[in-house]
Amino acid sequence: MSWWSTVIGGALGFMIGGPLGAMLGVAFAGNFSKRRSNSGFNANFSPGNQQRVQAAFFSGVFSVMGYISKVDGKVSKSEIVLAQQVMQHMQLSEEMIQVAKDLFNQGKQADFKLDEVLEQFRVETHRRTHLIRMFLEIQIQAAYADGIFDNSEHNALKAIAQKLHFPIHELENLIQQFAASKSGSKQTSVEDAYKILGAEESLDDKEIKRAYRRLLAQHHPDKLVAKGLPEEMQKLANEKTQEIISAYEVIKKHRGMR
């Protein structure tokens, strides 16, 4: 049973508790007030349960996305559209989109408890680096939504990464990789391909191949889902994987690698 089916079944945000559970509970109650919830303890949702991790990831992604959209002082139409596109891109059901929008709106509020949300997110996901990386990649996408990546958004992402104990230099690599992948060119340039792989042109062929395989392993959809990525977000991981493969093919052709 998926985490969403469990929520629909009555467990609500109470299955994870804390600020993430509270926001999920508010979002659910606000959209489906006729449904009943069970706020009692359920041993099936003890820390480490995959459905619990998935619920925390979903709640964290969309609420922090709302926070990112507001950090420059305003929420642009393009940022709202981007959030909606991400939701639709995941092929979420109408019910899930309504809950995601509510979480996004909660993240925009002045009293949004970012530090508490991030700390719970880190604990609920068991500090799994692959999940945290995917979380940050989605937030980077949100920061770029209006076409402008300013200092306030950059600083906010660095603060979020620090709170999640994610290395800042790796965050900067993710930002460069995203910028290269969205350069606007129909065909990925060799320069951008290296950035997408997070690899220096000075590396030899073996090192390039090693960097490619490491990056591919970090974004393997099945592995991410097994670690707690909601299945609804698997499409994003699939697309990232294809992006990595395409960049590697560009480099292989340029170098004459086999």
Side-chain angles (χ1 to χ4, degrees):
M1 180 183 289
S2 71
W3 74 272
W4 180 255
S5 297
T6 302
V7 170
I8 289 294
L12 273 183
F14 299 107
M15 73 181 187
I16 55 176
L20 288 174
M23 288 190 300
L24 184 59
V26 168
F28 189 93
N31 289 285
F32 314 114
S33 58
K34 293 182 180 179
R35 294 214 172 116
R36 298 178 63 186
S37 65
N38 175 15
S39 60
F41 175 75
N42 189 324
N44 291 330
F45 303 127
S46 57
N49 175 272
Q50 186 177 21
Q51 293 172 16
R52 177 170 171 153
V53 175
Q54 291 174 332
F57 194 97
F58 187 91
S59 304
V61 159
F62 288 110
S63 61
V64 174
M65 188 185 292
Y67 171 82
I68 289 289
S69 73
K70 187 73 177 293
V71 77
D72 59 358
K74 61 184 183 303
V75 182
S76 69
K77 184 177 180 180
S78 58
E79 287 168 323
I80 295 174
V81 170
L82 179 277
Q84 294 174 338
Q85 286 176 343
V86 171
M87 297 169 196
Q88 292 169 352
H89 198 59
M90 293 177 188
Q91 298 180 340
L92 302 182
S93 67
E94 286 301 317
E95 289 184 333
M96 295 183 82
I97 287 176
Q98 289 305 314
V99 170
K101 286 181 178 179
D102 200 298
L103 290 165
F104 180 86
N105 288 331
Q106 289 185 61
K108 293 190 304 182
Q109 302 308 309
D111 60 353
F112 179 64
K113 299 177 181 179
L114 178 67
D115 287 353
E116 292 181 22
V117 165
L118 293 175
E119 178 58 27
Q120 185 184 1
F121 176 83
R122 191 174 74 90
V123 172
E124 294 289 352
T125 57
H126 296 266
R127 304 165 182 82
R128 292 168 180 162
T129 305
H130 290 3
L131 286 182
I132 291 174
R133 181 179 289 106
M134 190 73 186
F135 174 87
L136 287 169
E137 287 176 347
I138 295 173
Q139 302 309 329
I140 291 169
Q141 185 178 4
Y144 271 92
D146 58 359
I148 301 173
F149 184 61
D150 60 27
N151 288 334
S152 62
E153 292 166 327
H154 195 177
N155 290 335
L157 285 171
K158 287 192 288 187
I160 289 170
Q162 288 177 327
K163 189 67 178 179
L164 295 175
H165 298 191
F166 189 84
I168 296 300
H169 72 276
E170 288 193 33
L171 172 71
E172 298 297 346
N173 286 339
L174 294 182
I175 292 172
Q176 286 189 6
Q177 289 167 14
F178 181 82
S181 69
K182 304 300 179 184
S183 61
S185 175
K186 292 183 179 179
Q187 187 171 359
T188 303
S189 68
V190 174
E191 181 181 358
D192 284 342
Y194 279 108
K195 290 179 180 178
I196 290 171
L197 289 192
E200 299 291 336
E201 293 187 43
S202 58
L203 297 178
D204 61 33
D205 290 355
K206 288 184 178 180
E207 290 171 320
I208 289 292
K209 184 175 291 187
R210 192 178 301 121
Y212 162 70
R213 288 176 174 172
R214 181 176 62 251
L215 199 60
L216 207 58
Q218 291 172 352
H219 293 85
H220 193 287
D222 292 339
K223 290 182 179 178
L224 285 170
V225 169
K227 289 180 180 295
L229 181 75
E231 293 178 8
E232 296 79 15
M233 297 183 179
Q234 188 171 0
K235 187 174 181 180
L236 298 180
N238 283 328
E239 291 178 349
K240 182 67 178 180
T241 296
Q242 188 55 53
E243 183 181 289
I244 294 166
I245 293 172
S246 297
Y248 182 59
E249 290 300 322
V250 169
I251 293 174
K252 280 178 62 180
K253 183 177 181 180
H254 178 71
R255 288 185 171 224
M257 294 169 58
R258 293 183 178 180

